[in-house]
Structure formats: C-alpha cells, structure tokens
Amino acid sequence: MKKNVLIIGAGGVAQVVAHKCAQHNDVLGDIHIASRTAEKCQKIIDSIHEKKNLKNAGVLEGHALDATDIDATVALIKKTGCEIVINVGSAFINMPVMSACIKAGVAYLDTAIHEEQDKICETPPWYANYEWKRREECEKAGITAILGVGFDPGVVNAYAKLAVEDYFDKIDSIDIIDINAGSHGKYFATNFDPEINFREFTGTVYSWQNNAWQENKMFEVKKIWDMPVVGESQTFMTGHDEVHSLSQNLDVPNVRFWMGFGDHYVNVFTVLNNIGLLSEKPVTTAEGLEVVPLKVVKACLPDPSSLAPDYTGKTCIGDLVKGSKDGKETEVLIYNVADHKDAYEEVGSQGISYTAGVPPVAAAMLIATGEWDVKKMANVEELPSKPFLNLLNGMGLPTRIKDANGDRALDFA
C-alpha cells in the first residue's frame, strides 16, 4: 500500500489532479503540490478549500520547486514522505522528474510524452527516444512508472485494451477521435499549454497504417465524424502520443488519431505557422534580443486555465474500433462525454483539463491499492483496463459504448 502524493505542476490539469486527490485522500493520504511558483500552488489549495473538496482532514501543502533539479525533487519527495509522484508539469521535465522518482524509490505517473525544447516530432515511435530507454532501469529498481495516463493518451489506451479483452478476436483498426464542441468565447486560445499544443501540429503527422509508419502534413488528411452528443465534426489526422505506444504494444495494423478543428483555428494556426511565429528556433530582433517565436506567441495568448469560467459545451473522445468477433465483422465505439460547465462547478477548471486530470488520480489510487503497482514501466494498454475504467465511472468520466446492441453505459463493477 503506497501513500502520499506529490503533484508536480500548477496549471489547469494540476488543479484538477489536486482537487481529485483531495476528494480521495482517504486512499491517497497527504497531498503536496510543487511548482516554480509557490503562489500558484497556494491558489489551487485555496480553491480546494473553497469547493470543500478535501474529503478527510489532512495534509494539503504547496512547495516551490525547480523540477529540472533532480536532487531538489528527491529532497522534496523525502521531506514530504510521498510515495507517488504525479507529473503534470511541462513535457520538458518528464525525464528529470522520472530520474528523481527512480532515485527516491517512488512511483511515477505522467500524462504526456517527454519532449526536448529544441526538437519536434522525433523519430517514431516517440516513446523509444526517451521513456522506453529506461524500462530496464525502472524494473531493476522496482519502480512503477505509468506513462501517458491522461485521457488521450491514457483512457483511450484503456479503451483499446478493453476492445482487445472483450469485443474482438482480431482488430483491424483503431481510430481515436477527440472532439471539443465547447466554446470559450475568446478570439483565439488553446485548451492546454500553447507551446506544447502548437508543437504537436507543426511537425510531421505520424500514423500507423498497414503495420508501418506513414507521414503526412498537418491539416492534409480531413474527415467528418458523427459522434454521440456533439454530432458531425470536422477533424484532421494528427500525430499523437498514444499512436506511438498502441502501434507497438497491440497487434493492430492501423492506429490513427483524429482531432477536431474549426476553420477559424485552422486559419489562425496557418498564418502563425507560415510567418514563422510557431518556430521553436530562436531569432534575433532588430534590438539585438534573442527570442523564441513560439514562446512569444504563448505569452500573448490566454492562459488555458483562465478559459474555465466562461467555457460552455461538451467534449466527446473515444475509440472507434473495427475488426471481427466470432468470424463476423464488428464495429465498436467506446467513448466519454464531458461537460465544461460541470467541470468548472466541481473543480474550477474547463473540460479539457478535467478529462486530462482525473485519470492520473485514478491510476494513483490503483497504485496505492496495489492493482497497478507493477514495479516496472508500463503504458496504459499494458495494464488491466477494467479496474481503471471502473474507478473513472465514479470519478466523473463514465465510459459508454455504441455498437450493434445500441448506445449504453458500461459498468465494470
């Protein structure tokens, strides 16, 4: 039984993680939040008390931390007695935080793949560039490291595993579809860190098709999907983390990721990209200042967490899986619908942060109770799906299925 959680990061997703950990501190124990800015941690703590989301009286503390400093992170882990670290900071700090967890002998979770500041869309599969190189190190040390346990990646990986376990003898394709049909009322904004958001879309779009990597450009491959609740939505095939693990861990010849984009987003993105403002490479201004254009754009856009109060509408994210069962062709959609307003009322965040922040808390609970404390590195599809999805059903992210038998909730109890 592992206890006490250290949350690294203090953005919109971290706020959800902290609220959900507080709601389940009977299982998780003490809750600590660490960020470069202690004031951000305190703001989250204040919001937890305001929403009365601390289930039992207990420790809820914030700390200033430079998470790139491995020794400082180890020291904080030991000082707080935390046995589970949930890393929801920038994707640039994954490796140093993982190093600290291995050194301190505690469990590690993250929600997105590691990135280096000066590199975009490295050679696929992306996990092989950094995380998977440390598999042996984690197993030798007996460290549980769960990779990409947000929603996508994360829950959608569990949906794929569920399809393998219960609904198919053979799977031909998995199409992961992410639709945000909400509105934040701003001229232009991203739903999570603008820097990470844009980096996803300025490089090569890698998909797994016919058991091989296929390369496309962003906004090159378009498809209209008709999804539950949100209806018909325009999407584009996009490179994404889960394609890079599902393609290697499941025997499926086709794995693709589709994200919904309106024409306005596409137009603004295209202009910014074409004039070089989304570049991660430094440029020098006429005044002799060296700046990174992408960081300047990030500084000019709204903080994603600031979108929450006025966000309305719903999200729909799921896996459309095709294959065969008992010799018959089969098609199944496993999905979730979340509401921006409901997320704000419960934890003070918008729906995108909510869908990303709830799953790592469910995973932490499974580590705490031992079901996912595998003492090695694993992607979500390598773990039992039903305990995870069962917890999510009761934590605000219920799973539904649409197939030949209709559209219904899935109960794993």
Side-chain angles (χ1 to χ4, degrees):
M1 183 81 177
K2 285 185 165 64
K3 279 275 190 179
N4 305 333
V5 175
L6 172 62
I7 301 161
I8 294 183
V13 176
Q15 172 152 326
V16 179
V17 171
H19 275 261
K20 284 295 182 178
C21 283
Q23 288 176 0
H24 297 278
N25 71 342
D26 55 331
V27 175
L28 294 172
D30 298 345
I31 311 299
H32 295 269
I33 310 168
S35 171
R36 284 183 180 272
T37 308
E39 289 78 9
K40 287 186 176 181
C41 301
Q42 188 58 49
K43 186 176 179 181
I44 292 174
I45 291 169
D46 292 343
S47 73
I48 290 171
H49 290 306
E50 181 184 343
K51 296 281 187 181
K52 296 180 171 56
N53 273 336
L54 192 65
K55 184 171 185 178
N56 293 337
V59 174
L60 179 60
E61 294 181 352
H63 309 267
L65 174 70
D66 176 0
T68 65
D69 185 334
I70 295 171
D71 289 339
T73 304
V74 170
L76 182 59
I77 290 169
K78 291 183 176 179
K79 174 186 174 183
T80 56
C82 290
E83 296 181 287
I84 301 172
V85 172
I86 301 177
N87 173 22
V88 281
S90 165
F92 305 131
I93 67 169
N94 285 16
M95 288 302 96
V97 174
M98 184 185 290
S99 294
C101 289
I102 294 171
K103 191 172 181 179
V106 301
Y108 169 86
L109 303 96
D110 64 36
T111 60
I113 207 160
H114 177 76
E115 294 188 40
E116 290 290 317
Q117 293 262 9
D118 60 345
K119 297 176 183 178
I120 288 180
C121 285
E122 297 187 63
T123 305
W126 291 340
Y127 282 107
N129 293 314
Y130 300 100
E131 286 88 348
W132 288 348
K133 288 180 178 178
R134 310 195 69 177
R135 281 170 166 166
E136 185 177 342
E137 186 181 1
C138 285
E139 191 159 4
K140 185 176 179 180
I143 299 300
T144 295
I146 310 299
L147 307 178
V149 66
F151 203 101
D152 44 344
V155 176
V156 296
N157 301 58
Y159 289 167
K161 179 65 175 292
L162 180 67
V164 170
E165 292 171 329
D166 284 10
Y167 294 97
F168 292 86
D169 297 323
K170 180 177 179 293
I171 294 178
D172 297 321
S173 65
I174 300 174
D175 285 292
I176 299 160
I177 306 159
D178 183 329
I179 306 296
N180 174 23
S183 174
H184 47 59
K186 305 291 185 182
Y187 174 77
F188 187 82
T190 60
N191 293 299
F192 56 98
D193 186 335
E195 187 173 3
I196 300 300
N197 181 274
F198 289 132
R199 285 168 64 98
E200 282 187 5
F201 310 141
T202 53
T204 303
V205 171
Y206 289 111
S207 61
W208 183 252
Q209 303 199 58
N210 298 316
N211 288 307
W213 291 108
Q214 176 170 311
E215 299 181 14
N216 291 97
K217 295 178 180 179
M218 189 60 195
F219 302 127
E220 179 181 354
V221 184
K222 176 181 174 180
K223 188 174 179 66
I224 303 295
W225 296 97
D226 188 2
M227 296 290 281
V229 180
V230 300
E232 289 192 351
S233 300
Q234 171 180 280
T235 71
F236 294 87
M237 192 166 68
T238 306
H240 223 247
D241 304 11
E242 54 271 53
V243 176
H244 294 259
S245 66
L246 293 174
S247 62
Q248 309 303 299
N249 291 329
L250 300 182
D251 184 19
V252 177
N254 299 285
V255 184
R256 296 167 290 252
F257 183 90
W258 305 84
M259 184 169 281
F261 293 96
D263 291 336
H264 178 67
Y265 184 101
V266 175
N267 290 338
V268 173
F269 173 93
T270 301
V271 171
L272 291 173
N273 195 37
N274 286 346
I275 62 178
L277 284 175
L278 300 186
S279 173
E280 78 285 5
K281 305 297 183 183
V283 298
T284 302
T285 69
E287 295 76 22
L289 298 174
E290 186 178 86
V291 298
V292 175
L294 179 54
K295 291 185 179 295
V296 174
V297 172
K298 174 181 177 176
C300 292
L301 291 177
D303 183 326
S305 64
S306 72
L307 306 177
D310 299 317
Y311 226 130
T312 58
K314 301 181 187 297
T315 69
C316 182
I317 310 172
D319 292 13
L320 180 64
V321 186
K322 296 181 180 181
S324 59
K325 178 73 171 178
D326 299 327
K328 297 180 180 179
E329 289 189 2
T330 303
E331 178 176 312
V332 169
L333 175 67
I334 307 173
Y335 71 98
N336 165 265
V337 172
D339 186 281
H340 288 287
K341 185 178 179 181
D342 289 347
Y344 181 67
E345 289 177 352
E346 182 190 348
V347 300
S349 293
Q350 38 99 336
I352 306 299
S353 296
Y354 191 86
T355 56
V358 176
V361 180
M365 292 170 67
L366 291 173
I367 291 173
T369 58
E371 290 173 272
W372 272 19
D373 191 15
V374 292
K375 304 187 186 310
K376 63 180 182 180
M377 180 179 288
N379 291 88
V380 173
E381 67 270 18
E382 298 177 278
L383 300 165
S385 66
K386 291 177 185 175
F388 181 51
L389 297 176
N390 185 49
L391 274 179
L392 292 174
N393 275 349
M395 294 175 67
L397 294 178
T399 298
R400 297 188 63 86
I401 186 168
K402 183 178 181 181
D403 59 12
N405 297 315
D407 190 331
R408 61 202 182 278
L410 278 183
D411 185 359
F412 305 99

